[in-house]
Amino acid sequence: HMDILRRNSCATRTLSLFARNKGNAYLCRVLRPFLSELISTGEHFEIEKLNPSDPSASLQVELFVKYMTLLVDTITSSVDIFPTELVVVCETIFSAVEDKFPLYVYVAVGSFVFLRFFCPALVSPESESIIEISEAPYKRPFITLAKVIQSLANGSDNVARWPVLESQSQFLEEC
């Protein structure tokens, strides 16, 4: 079950290309305002390499929570416009995994939706023609959000990877 949609096989690459093709307009519509807002505020955060005792930790966590909340709200409020073709793919993945690994159906669907669809767009929005990023400091928060949201979709222990987020375990659970 741990390998479902994780390897870089011909099938997973094809699925990624299909998702990009059928979902690009959706990603632009949904993620562009979010990414533009993060860039326009000039705010960026770092939680991965941050020690919880660092004097800037609370501000960094506060910014992370702000943008993670905005991202989750952005995605969940767009469910009604999620591309029909990708809904069919999600239903197919769900049905196929349910037969063999019934406890992992949501992880498998989440792997497709996040690992193969949302996260690449967050990590490299310019390659998806969503938004151009001219300054490197803005890429780091996008990558961090992608890592955290993928971890949430996988159902893994989020706090262990980011000690500074230990106080936010309830928040991450809600996400």
Side-chain angles (χ1 to χ4, degrees):
H1 72 274
M2 294 301 292
D3 291 333
I4 297 172
L5 299 173
R6 298 209 176 279
R7 295 193 179 169
N8 233 358
S9 67
C10 185
T12 56
R13 278 183 263 148
T14 302
L15 189 57
S16 294
L17 288 171
F18 179 78
R20 287 175 71 179
N21 181 291
K22 297 300 180 183
N24 185 263
Y26 165 82
L27 287 172
C28 289
R29 181 175 172 186
V30 171
L31 292 180
R32 185 176 289 142
F34 166 75
L35 298 173
S36 295
E37 181 176 335
L38 200 154
I39 290 171
S40 71
T41 63
E43 297 174 328
H44 40 78
F45 53 86
E46 175 61 59
I47 60 161
E48 285 194 78
K49 300 172 185 171
L50 192 61
N51 187 316
S53 63
D54 188 293
S56 69
S58 63
L59 174 62
Q60 296 298 305
V61 170
E62 183 180 313
L63 288 171
F64 165 78
V65 168
K66 173 184 175 179
Y67 287 105
M68 186 64 175
T69 300
L70 186 58
L71 177 60
V72 170
D73 290 349
T74 296
I75 292 170
T76 57
S77 67
S78 71
V79 170
D80 58 327
I81 61 168
F82 194 73
T84 305
E85 298 90 345
L86 301 185
V87 170
V88 171
V89 170
C90 290
E91 289 171 343
T92 303
I93 292 169
F94 186 95
S95 296
V97 173
E98 188 176 37
D99 292 340
K100 193 163 184 175
F101 305 109
L103 299 176
Y104 298 95
V105 291
Y106 295 111
V107 170
V109 172
S111 289
F112 166 66
V113 171
F114 293 101
L115 178 66
R116 299 291 173 185
F117 186 59
F118 275 111
C119 290
L122 285 169
V123 169
S124 186
E126 62 279 353
S127 71
E128 304 292 331
S129 301
I130 296 171
I131 193 169
E132 290 298 318
I133 303 172
S134 57
E135 297 180 42
Y138 296 107
K139 264 192 107 63
R140 190 74 191 135
F142 298 164
I143 292 167
T144 299
L145 289 167
K147 286 180 178 182
V148 173
I149 207 157
Q150 180 60 48
S151 181
L152 292 171
N154 290 340
S156 63
D157 183 11
N158 305 302
V159 178
R161 289 182 64 190
W162 301 285
V164 75
L165 293 180
E166 189 173 305
S167 66
Q168 299 299 317
S169 59
Q170 181 63 37
F171 167 73
L172 294 172
E173 184 69 30
E174 290 169 10
C175 287

